[in-house]
Amino acid sequence: MGTRVLVVEDEPVINQAVAERLVAEGFDVRQAYDGPTAVDVAETWEPDALVLDVMLPGFDGHEVCRRVQARRPVPVLMLTARDDETDVLVGLGVGADDYLTKPFSMRELVARVRVLLRRVERAAELFRGETGDLRVGDLHIDRSGRRVRVAASDVHLTPTEFDLLARLAAEPGTVLSREDLMRDVWGWSDPAAARTGTRTVDSHVRSLRAKIGAGRVRTVHGVGYALEHAPGETSPR
Ligand code: CA
């Protein structure tokens, strides 16, 4: 049985082209053309990844993302009509792991889907045997349950945000470069390729900050990011 990818796109020509290419690449594919059907199929079929258009009938891709992610973490590649920063950030904020702006090449789409899946595998590898909880100030990361609490309140993170936070929290106060994060969290091993993905790192750091508090992740310009103890917080136990 191949890796399952659910393609959600209301334009039949694009949907069919994406589905056919993914099938040709060895993926097990199902197709949905509207929001409600996408959520139903995701629930019953349990895909390993979603390729998800933003503008859909019923309800849009953001809402599909929200509903699917609420049940089960699954990596999402969002298809956007405009290369608009706000669109991108909103997409990431509701749980998309990556985005692709139309028009895109099928080769690029397949590469992005593979990166998403590799990232999930890589994260499992990265944290294998490291299932203990991490505490940084009032931030509590349950690595085996993949849950995060800030000051005893649950925070819902996407799979990518979780892995990014867990990586930063493994060495609090240490500055990790974008290339380090691309390698450890996304599984990009080629440094030249990793450099092209740095905007993805920046977008995920922004969405992570919005959820856990902007001051917790320090930017070191030209270098990378570090997770800080929240100001005024007590030391970790
Ligand atoms: Ca559409």
Side-chain angles (χ1 to χ4, degrees), residues 3-226:
T3 303
R4 297 173 169 191
V5 181
L6 173 60
V7 177
V8 187
E9 165 65 75
D10 58 319
E11 291 171 57
V13 173
I14 299 177
N15 191 318
Q16 195 59 26
V18 169
E20 280 174 9
R21 180 57 184 259
L22 290 171
V23 166
E25 297 283 338
F27 294 101
D28 191 357
V29 176
R30 288 205 188 166
Q31 294 159 269
Y33 299 85
D34 62 73
T37 308
V39 172
D40 287 348
V41 174
E43 191 179 352
T44 55
W45 191 51
E46 302 198 335
D48 298 297
L50 256 68
V51 174
L52 180 61
D53 186 30
V54 175
M55 297 304 290
L56 291 167
F59 41 75
D60 69 11
H62 297 145
E63 186 61 25
V64 171
C65 221
R66 216 173 274 128
R67 295 192 188 195
V68 170
Q69 299 279 3
R71 292 196 173 94
R72 183 176 146 267
V74 54
V76 175
L77 174 63
M78 204 82 121
L79 305 178
T80 63
R82 292 165 302 156
D83 190 13
D84 183 289
E85 185 77 346
T86 309
D87 237 14
V88 167
L89 290 180
V90 168
L92 293 173
V94 299
D97 293 284
D98 200 1
Y99 56 88
L100 200 53
T101 306
K102 293 178 185 177
F104 51 84
S105 75
M106 289 299 154
R107 187 197 296 187
E108 179 69 7
L109 178 119
V110 170
R112 297 295 191 95
V113 169
R114 291 201 190 283
V115 165
L116 275 192
L117 294 164
R118 196 159 67 220
R119 194 198 59 69
V120 173
E121 272 170 35
R122 174 72 199 172
E125 210 172 279
L126 182 64
F127 303 122
R128 188 172 298 145
E130 295 180 44
T131 53
D133 292 6
L134 293 171
R135 287 172 193 275
V136 180
D138 62 354
L139 198 61
H140 181 191
I141 303 166
D142 166 7
R143 285 190 288 193
S144 52
R146 297 183 67 84
R147 276 193 289 265
V148 173
R149 289 202 303 274
V150 176
S153 299
D154 286 321
V155 177
H156 177 73
L157 299 183
T158 69
T160 307
E161 288 163 359
F162 180 89
D163 294 336
L164 177 61
L165 177 61
R167 178 66 192 89
L168 290 166
E171 295 176 77
T174 301
V175 180
L176 296 167
S177 71
R178 291 176 176 85
E179 288 80 10
D180 289 339
L181 294 167
M182 283 307 288
R183 184 194 61 224
D184 291 348
V185 179
W186 279 265
W188 291 75
S189 49
D190 174 9
R195 272 193 296 277
T196 69
T198 53
R199 201 174 142 212
T200 300
V201 176
D202 296 342
S203 294
H204 281 89
V205 167
R206 273 194 291 267
S207 61
L208 183 60
R209 279 182 170 138
K211 292 181 180 180
I212 67 168
R216 289 171 204 271
V217 183
R218 179 165 57 101
T219 302
V220 181
H221 288 289
V223 184
Y225 297 102

